[in-house]
Amino acid sequence: SYLWDFGDGTYASEQVKGSLLTVVHTYTGTPRQAIATFKVTDSGGGVGVDDVRVTIKTIPVVTLTSLPSSNSTIGQPVTFTATVAANSGLSWPLWVPVPAGGTVTFSADGTPFATVPVLGTGFGSAMAAATTSSLSIGSHTITATYSEDVFFLPGGTGAATLKVLYGWGGFQSPIPGSQYNTGRTIPVKFILTDFSGNATAAAIQNASNNVSAQLNSGLIVKYGTATFSSGQYQYNLDTTLISGARTDDWLTIIVSLDDGTSHSISAQLK
C-alpha cells in the first residue's frame, strides 16, 4: 500500500501505475514549510519511508501610505511607506511569517525612483520607506512592488495617489482693498512658491496660468496668461474689455493654475 502525508493534515493513497507514482496536491493557507512524507508497506509488512521539504509561497499584501497623505507642495519631501504582510484571510496554520528579505521598488507613474530592503522579521508585518522631493506639478500614481523572499512570491503591489501643488504666496499690492476707475488697467500680481518659499525656482517660473474676471452680474471675461518677472507673476487687466461694466460694480479676478487650483480676489470699480 502507498500513503502520502502532505504535512498539512491531508493524505492520499494511490496505486502504482507502471513504474512511477505521481500525485498532485495543492497547498492552501499561509506561506510556510511543510514535510511531505511517502510511505510504502509491502505484502510482508515491510515499510519504507521517504520525505521532502516543501516551501509554500504566496503573493503578499502590500499597503502604501504617504506623508503628507493627499496634497503636497512642489519641492516638498514626501515619504512613502509600504507595509508588506501575508494575506489576512489565510488562517492555517496560526503561525504567519513576515517577509524577512526582499525589496520594495517605489515608482511614480510607472518610473522607479527607489528600491529599498524591507525591514523587520517575525510576526506582524515588514516595512520599507522611500522619500522623494522631485515629483512634478499635478496628480501622480505611486506604486510599491515587493520582490521575493523565502515565503513570498514577487508581485505584491500597493498604490497611492498624491497631488503636487504650487505654494500660493497671495495677490500682491495694489489689488487688495483697492478701487479702480472703469476703463483703467488693473495690474494683477501674485506669487507662487515651492516648499522652501522660493519664488524663483524653475518649476515656478514655468507655471501655466489663466487670468479671468467675473462681474457681480455673473458675466465672465477670460483674459490671458500672467508672465513671470522678478519673483512674481503679473497680468495687466484691461477693464475696457469688460462689456457692461459700471461704476460701483464688483469685479472678481480669478487666477487658474495648471495644478488644478484657482485663487480669486475682488476689486471695486468706480
Side-chain angles (χ1 to χ4, degrees):
S1 64
Y2 307 93
L3 179 66
W4 286 94
D5 178 351
F6 297 108
D8 60 356
T10 61
Y11 304 86
S13 179
E14 301 287 348
Q15 297 298 316
V16 173
K17 296 180 180 179
S19 60
L20 296 176
L21 176 60
T22 301
V23 294
V24 177
H25 179 67
T26 300
Y27 286 91
T28 60
T30 59
R32 63 195 184 280
Q33 287 189 329
I35 302 296
T37 303
F38 179 55
K39 180 179 179 181
V40 179
T41 304
D42 64 21
S43 58
V47 176
V49 178
D50 198 5
D51 60 47
V52 64
R53 184 178 297 272
V54 179
T55 299
I56 300 100
K57 293 188 174 185
T58 187
I59 296 177
V61 175
V62 179
T63 304
L64 182 61
T65 58
S66 68
L67 186 67
S69 60
S70 55
N71 295 339
S72 69
T73 303
I74 184 74
Q76 180 177 4
V78 181
T79 298
F80 297 94
T81 301
T83 303
V84 186
N87 190 326
S88 60
L90 303 178
S91 59
W92 193 97
L94 294 179
W95 179 80
V96 180
V98 170
T103 59
V104 171
T105 297
F106 295 86
S107 301
D109 305 316
T111 301
F113 64 85
T115 297
V116 183
V118 296
L119 301 176
T121 60
F123 298 95
S125 60
M127 302 174 68
T131 300
T132 181
S133 58
S134 61
L135 295 175
S136 61
I137 289 293
S139 183
H140 299 277
T141 298
I142 311 300
T143 57
T145 302
Y146 181 69
S147 61
E148 186 176 17
D149 78 346
V150 173
F151 292 113
F152 293 90
L153 295 168
T157 299
T161 57
L162 184 79
K163 196 169 188 179
V164 180
L165 310 175
Y166 297 109
W168 176 248
F171 288 98
Q172 304 301 297
S173 179
I175 287 181
S178 297
Q179 291 182 327
Y180 295 89
N181 291 324
T182 54
R184 180 182 170 184
T185 295
I186 302 175
V188 180
K189 301 178 182 180
F190 58 91
I191 291 176
L192 304 179
T193 69
D194 61 12
F195 179 68
S196 300
N198 181 7
T200 59
I204 302 303
Q205 295 184 51
N206 295 322
S208 176
N209 65 86
N210 181 272
V211 179
S212 60
Q214 180 175 358
L215 281 174
N216 55 357
S217 62
L219 175 67
I220 298 178
V221 179
K222 292 188 179 297
Y223 283 97
T225 300
T227 56
F228 182 85
S229 178
S230 302
Q232 68 180 0
Y233 281 88
Q234 179 168 339
Y235 181 82
N236 294 319
L237 191 157
D238 185 356
T239 61
T240 62
L241 299 179
I242 304 176
S243 176
R246 298 171 300 179
T247 300
D248 295 329
D249 271 346
W250 280 94
L251 190 66
T252 301
I253 300 167
I254 306 164
V255 173
S256 301
L257 302 172
D258 59 329
D259 64 0
T261 63
S262 61
H263 308 270
S264 62
I265 193 170
S266 295
Q268 189 176 22
L269 301 178
K270 63 180 183 176

